[in-house]
Amino acid sequence: MPQDAVVSTPTVAIVGGGPAGLMLSHLLHRGGIDSVVVERRTRDESETTHRAGILEADSVRMLVETGVSDRVLREGDEHEGIDLRFGGVSHRIDFGHHIGESVWLYPQTDVFIDLADARARDGGDVRFGASDVTVHDVDSTSPRVSFTDADGTPQELRPTLVVAADGSRSECRDLVPERLRRTFRREYPFAWFGILCEAPPSAPELVYTHSERGFALISQRTPTVQRMYFQCDPGTKADDWSEEQIWDEFQARVAGEDDFHLHTGPIIDKTVLGFRSFVQEPMRYGTLLLAGDAAHTVPPTGAKGLNLALADVHTLAALIESALAADDLDVLDHYTPRALERVWRAQNFSYWMTQMLHHPGNGEGASFDSRRQLGELASVVGTEGGQRYVAECYTGWPLRK
Ligand code: DHB
């Protein structure tokens, strides 16, 4: 006979325990609102997945000023600019000079660890390793979330609100009826080949490179471990590439008259990462709210994904507090327009950086586009306005509640 489910009644049930879900739970806790986070992956699985590494200044402030952790200030690396490299020459965009802001190199994995630690420290209820997670009745005022916890015990949450922070393959977002939802998407004919290697940094800041062989991004992690990516065909198998081939490809893409040369070393991880642009509107339906990648994904160029997720939950936490205080869930109708304002700016920036820097393939008009990209890049780095635009978008737009 099936075991009876253990019933709990948190105010908010959060499906997904990545940075968006955990940060929301943390912010709600600070506002006196209890939540339960349900996550399919184990903590260990989340801690060993490599993701992007750039935090906007406001994301850093959110971590530090809300008391998650100040580890980012001690172990992260502040960057006051990036290089746009094309035609074999690097051009620095100086964020400090243009807008007095910076970004921080601090991997998403560390953001996750800080948030999971903060939730544990503050007595948060986070159920890692859950299975059979199902959300019911979000069109009513008594939604439910059922799941089996890591010990095999059936559980049921009966919250006031459900937040779907279940990532880019969200199942929860499909609970919004088709007649009410609109989705917007764009596919790209390329992917990224990402590596982690044991080597010293090759440059003090990130180098976004346009070359005749395609895009490359030289990023960092620590004084002894580096992160780099090159544009590849989406069908590429990481294991088909030897270390030697990978390094030859990177070196060829960054080569130039300044003799820029990468420091190489043993490759400790290699993965092919597909991507797309995606938005689902609205972000509220009844007692269901979508946050982060569940509602929108961006291509990785410009590192907006994590920052956008944190901005969503910053807005959402404030609105949930107001809605509950006023006993009026319609306050949550402000969420979609407020969040989307930033989402579409970030979609535009990520799309723009992607199309400006990636090899357009061999189709009709592609050779025209390759040359045109050089004109576009020259216009960006060659004007105050162009540089300032990159600086503003890259460091992020002001947060709003
Ligand atoms: C990293 C990834 C990005 O997509 C980006 O734009 C910048 C940095 C990274 O993993 O370091």
Side-chain angles (χ1 to χ4, degrees):
M1 219 178 74
Q3 230 178 309
D4 279 345
V6 178
V7 173
S8 352
T9 55
T11 306
V12 181
I14 302 173
V15 181
L22 294 175
M23 179 59 99
L24 179 65
S25 179
H26 173 74
L27 294 175
L28 290 175
H29 168 72
R30 283 172 51 87
I33 297 167
D34 64 308
S35 63
V36 174
V37 180
V38 182
E39 167 59 50
R40 285 205 175 91
R41 283 170 304 174
T42 62
R43 208 188 135 147
D44 197 48
E45 280 164 346
S46 295
E47 281 181 12
T48 47
T49 311
H50 301 294
R51 300 273 176 119
I54 290 289
L55 290 180
E56 294 171 2
D58 273 341
S59 299
V60 170
R61 285 191 275 269
M62 212 188 298
L63 287 171
V64 175
E65 287 170 16
T66 70
V68 173
S69 170
D70 63 359
R71 190 162 70 101
V72 53
L73 301 180
R74 287 178 277 114
E75 297 180 21
D77 227 344
E78 186 171 14
H79 287 189
E80 293 216 343
I82 53 167
D83 275 356
L84 289 180
R85 185 172 173 83
F86 56 97
V89 181
S90 290
H91 305 262
R92 183 162 187 264
I93 309 276
D94 186 333
F95 304 152
H97 166 73
H98 286 289
I99 46 167
E101 275 291 7
S102 57
V103 297
W104 289 71
L105 184 85
Y106 190 65
Q108 176 166 333
T109 313
D110 288 287
V111 175
F112 168 82
I113 291 169
D114 291 348
L115 284 164
D117 283 350
R119 286 288 54 220
R121 176 196 69 204
D122 298 341
D125 190 346
V126 183
R127 316 286 181 90
F128 289 109
S131 52
D132 308 321
V133 184
T134 313
V135 178
H136 316 260
D137 303 334
V138 289
D139 54 351
S140 78
T141 49
S142 37
R144 289 177 299 121
V145 178
S146 57
F147 63 99
T148 306
D149 70 16
D151 296 337
T153 311
Q155 301 276 344
E156 185 172 292
L157 308 179
R158 295 183 186 162
T160 305
L161 294 170
V162 178
V163 175
D166 53 341
S168 59
R169 295 196 192 93
S170 171
E171 290 175 10
C172 293
R173 69 172 168 240
D174 294 344
L175 296 172
V176 182
E178 257 175 72
R179 70 190 154 80
L180 296 180
R181 71 171 118 109
R182 287 197 70 188
T183 54
F184 304 85
R185 61 186 89 221
R186 196 175 207 295
E187 307 291 335
Y188 298 87
F190 32 76
W192 279 12
F193 195 114
I195 65 155
L196 275 176
C197 67
E198 287 171 357
S202 295
E205 294 171 341
L206 271 59
V207 186
Y208 287 83
T209 309
H210 174 283
S211 83
E212 285 182 4
R213 301 178 70 91
F215 172 73
L217 171 59
I218 311 308
S219 183
Q220 299 95 19
R221 282 295 177 267
T222 69
T224 54
V225 175
Q226 311 311 319
R227 181 75 162 152
M228 303 180 198
Y229 307 89
F230 65 80
Q231 172 187 355
C232 65
D233 189 89
T236 305
K237 302 257 175 305
D239 284 340
D240 290 349
W241 283 68
S242 69
E243 289 211 6
E244 198 186 342
Q245 286 171 314
I246 293 171
W247 285 123
D248 285 350
E249 193 57 46
F250 272 118
Q251 299 286 15
R253 293 194 190 197
V254 300
E257 51 195 67
D258 57 0
D259 249 357
F260 181 48
H261 204 75
L262 296 174
H263 295 299
T264 62
I267 292 174
I268 50 179
D269 188 79
K270 49 181 180 176
T271 350
V272 174
L273 307 148
F275 52 82
R276 63 178 180 158
S277 302
F278 173 82
V279 180
Q280 178 167 311
E281 301 179 0
M283 290 167 70
R284 176 198 173 192
Y285 167 65
T287 43
L288 177 72
L289 298 130
L290 310 180
D293 278 2
H296 43 73
T297 54
V298 289
T301 332
K304 284 283 164 245
L306 170 59
N307 295 292
L308 213 43
L310 296 177
D312 275 358
V313 299
H314 172 84
T315 302
L316 183 55
L319 286 170
I320 290 177
E321 282 174 38
S322 309
L324 295 176
D327 196 18
D328 177 8
L329 293 190
D330 286 347
V331 169
L332 298 170
D333 277 338
H334 293 299
Y335 177 52
T336 297
R338 280 186 201 173
L340 284 181
E341 203 184 298
R342 186 189 194 88
V343 166
W344 280 109
R345 285 180 189 216
Q347 286 290 357
N348 178 56
F349 179 64
S350 308
Y351 165 83
W352 178 67
M353 286 279 280
T354 302
Q355 68 78 29
M356 180 167 66
L357 290 163
H358 287 71
H359 193 285
N362 300 315
E364 202 191 322
S367 56
F368 174 86
D369 272 336
S370 299
R371 287 284 197 281
R372 187 192 54 73
Q373 287 172 329
L374 293 173
E376 189 174 15
L377 283 158
S379 305
V380 170
V381 304
T383 60
E384 277 288 306
Q387 290 186 22
R388 193 186 160 92
Y389 177 69
V390 173
E392 262 170 21
C393 298
Y394 199 93
T395 56
W397 305 274
L399 286 175
R400 62 175 292 189
K401 293 206 166 170

